[in-house]
């Protein structure tokens, strides 16, 4: 059974609202950090692998081209 | 192939040779020995300057101040445990020697203790007087330092081995060693505080001895393992 | 011989990547469900504590965080042993990946413990045995993360962190005992955060569900990080290139 009469009582937590909610907020932050961190890392890793692949393909296809035009090629492909 | 008996005899001789070499090197640069002692003195003096020269306050805090000062001084001196050998290549010689590396590490830690923790232990009664430690507690302080500073050197050797190849690894060495130092600190200051109140302190001493035995058995193994891993 | 092939399969990053991919959706659903249900249950559907009023509701986050912070370190030590004895690469990746997760839960436990302290004892921090031990555990985590960052070579860093976590795991019972003893010297036994399940069943069930939810969440997050680590370390292999290059 619900132990609070209405929303404002729920938020106030009988005067302890600040403590309860800040504790839960820290919990939420930790959860968000743990979810976001691998997601961002994954994006970085995939980007670096794709970049590595593009460079390798570029070198394979046109081995006579100078380094600067190789870089241009990579940028254009994006 | 030498028999194991012959080899272990040579192992002992090797340790003695290592100790002699380290002590000779240490005496050649006396700063290595004197600087931590000066640091010890200065850190202990900071507390009355920073808190209060009040006799009662100081005598309560004295065990902790002296022990923390000793702890920090040992930490400062740990950096040189393996680093100088790493730099001039003698660490590689040690790694290649036929003698068990943990034994050699133990020898190095012993000479390090002689030049750091042991000297601090000798100095401690002076600081005890400066910080108004009750007379009853001076002997316990000396004994706890005598038993505890080797543990500090042993446990610190693990961190020193792990960070030997890291540039400016001194702070990291401190970070790694402090959790190992906390139990020693707790029981040592506990002993001195108990003695100051004329309570029995044998139990604390037994615990310090346990830590010393554990350190003597396990720390050389861990430090040797770390040295091998780092220098692969 | 089936056992050995399984064991060797376990060491294959690709095998783990494939299998964990299948488990991910299940983990996402169960962890989200159990956490949300447990916390709403704890926040709104349990009676307020006789002594502490509503602030005790922090327990539903504080206790699971504490359990996890300690359990994760144990898992790290196990991974360290596996790495040093059997040299399984996956064990090192697991060791690397678990450290920041464990540290974050450690911080969560400390923060919620401190926040809980204020309405309960009128102070934002108290040097009670459990909080102090948790603080020292945080030092252990920081040490491992710092050591990993300071060593450039990946294989050397792996073994060094493994040794460090094993040293730490030996240290943990010593610290617990010492801090407990130190605490009894300096403080009365009245200052104890309620953790024992001598709680009313209405409070115990949501707590257990919350602990389960946190463990599931940890598994999910660890799998996510481990998969990224596998992709990163195996980026030169064909299967990764095929996977990404699509």
């Amino acid at each position: 059974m619900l132990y609070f009469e209405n929303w404002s009582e729920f938020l106030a937590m009988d005067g302890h609202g600040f403590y309860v909610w800040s504790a839960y907020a820290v919990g939420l932050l930790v959860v968000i950090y743990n979810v976001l961190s691998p997601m961002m890392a994954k994006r970085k890793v995939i980007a670096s692998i794709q970049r590595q692949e593009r460079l390798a393909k570029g070198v394979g296809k046109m081995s006579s081209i100078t380094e600067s035009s190789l870089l241009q090629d990579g940028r254009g492909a994006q | 192939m030498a028999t194991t008996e012959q080899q272990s005899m040579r192992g002992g001789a090797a340790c003695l040779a290592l100790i002699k070499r380290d002590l000779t090197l240490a005496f050649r640069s006396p700063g290595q020995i004197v600087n931590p002692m000066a640091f010890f003195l200065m850190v202990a003096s900071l507390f009355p300057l920073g808190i209060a020269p009040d006799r009662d306050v100081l005598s309560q805090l004295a065990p902790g101040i002296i022990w923390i000062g000793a702890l920090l001084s040992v930490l400062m001196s740990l950096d040189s445990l393996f680093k100088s050998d790493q730099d001039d290549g003698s660490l590689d010689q040690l790694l290649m020697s036929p003698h068990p590396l943990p034994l050699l590490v133990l020898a190095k830690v012993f000479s390090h203790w002689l030049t750091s923790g042991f000297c601090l232990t000798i100095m401690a009664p002076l600081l005890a007087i400066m910080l108004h430690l009750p007379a009853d507690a001076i002997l316990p302080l000396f004994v706890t330092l005598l038993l505890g500073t080797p543990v500090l050197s042993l446990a610190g050797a693990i961190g020193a081995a792990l960070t030997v190849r890291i540039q400016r690894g001194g702070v990291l060495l401190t970070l790694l060693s402090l959790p190992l130092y906390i139990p020693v600190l707790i029981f040592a200051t506990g002993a001195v505080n108990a003695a100051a109140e004329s309570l029995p302190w044998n139990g604390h001493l037994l615990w310090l001895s346990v830590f010393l035995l554990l350190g003597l058995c396990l720390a050389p193994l861990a430090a040797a393992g770390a040295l091998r891993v780092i220098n692969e | 011989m089936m056992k050995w092939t399984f064991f060797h399969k376990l060491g294959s990053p690709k095998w783990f990547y494939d299998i964990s991919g299948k488990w991910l959706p299940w983990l996402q659903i169960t962890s989200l469900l159990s956490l949300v249900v447990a916390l709403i249950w704890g926040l709104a559907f349990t009676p307020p504590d006789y002594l502490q009023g509503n602030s005790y509701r922090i327990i539903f986050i504080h206790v699971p965080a504490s359990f996890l912070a300690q359990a994760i370190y144990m898992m790290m030590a196990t991974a360290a042993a596996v790495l040093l004895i059997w040299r399984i690469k996956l064990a090192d990746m697991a060791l690397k990946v678990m450290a920041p997760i464990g540290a974050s839960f450690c911080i969560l436990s400390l923060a919620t413990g401190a926040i809980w302290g204020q309405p309960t004892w009128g102070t934002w921090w108290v040097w009670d045995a459990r909080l102090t031990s948790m603080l020292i555990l945080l030092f252990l985590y920081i040490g491992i993360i710092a050591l990993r960052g300071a060593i450039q070579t990946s294989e050397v860093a792996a073994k060094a962190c493994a040794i460090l976590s094993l040293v730490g795991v030996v240290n943990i019972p010593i610290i617990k005992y010492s801090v407990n003893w130190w605490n009894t010297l300096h403080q009365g036994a009245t200052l104890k955060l309620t953790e024992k399940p001598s709680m009313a069943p209405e409070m115990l069930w949501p707590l257990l569900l919350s602990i389960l939810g946190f463990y599931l969440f940890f598994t999910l997050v660890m799998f996510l990080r481990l998969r990224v680590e596998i992709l990163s370390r195996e980026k030169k292999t064909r299967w990764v290139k095929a996977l990404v290059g699509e």
Side-chain angles (χ1 to χ4, degrees), chain B residues 3-17:
Chain B
T3 64
T4 35
E5 192 189 291
Q6 273 182 302
Q7 269 212 313
S8 60
M9 266 170 56
R10 279 193 277 142
C15 283
L16 281 175

Side-chain angles (χ1 to χ4, degrees), chain C residues 47-192:
Chain C
D49 180 63
Y50 170 63
L51 285 170
Q52 293 184 27
N54 280 305
S55 66
Y56 92 100
R57 298 186 194 276
I58 298 180
I59 202 180
F60 299 111
I61 300 209
H62 175 80
V63 166
S66 316
F67 279 12
L68 265 182
Q70 296 175 61
I72 293 176
Y73 198 90
M74 294 299 142
M75 290 188 237
M76 281 171 63
T78 314
V82 167
L83 171 66
L84 290 175
I85 301 176
W86 289 293
R87 302 184 184 273
I88 295 186
K89 241 195 312 180
L90 200 59
D92 166 50
M93 297 194 220
L95 181 63
K96 172 174 181 183
V97 141
M98 285 196 271
I101 309 179
S104 71
F105 279 116
C106 207
I107 295 177
L108 180 59
S109 163
L110 286 170
T112 48
I115 295 176
W116 197 355
Q118 175 61 350
T120 319
W121 305 311
T123 169
W124 281 108
W125 179 261
V126 86
W127 287 97
D128 92 316
R130 246 189 293 266
L131 275 180
T132 311
S133 303
M134 189 63 64
L135 184 63
I136 301 178
L137 183 64
L138 184 61
F139 297 163
L140 289 174
Y141 272 116
I142 292 178
I144 295 184
I145 296 175
L147 185 63
R148 172 80 61 171
I151 298 182
Q152 310 297 350
T153 334
S154 176
E155 291 83 40
V156 174
K159 300 213 185 107
C161 290
I163 293 182
L164 186 60
S165 21
L166 287 174
V167 170
V169 100
V170 169
N171 198 16
I172 283 181
I174 302 179
I175 288 179
K176 282 224 164 129
Y177 180 80
S178 311
V179 170
N180 263 320
W181 179 85
W182 163 83
N183 191 243
T184 55
L185 273 190
H186 298 275
Q187 268 164 14
T190 47
L191 293 171
K192 263 194 163 70

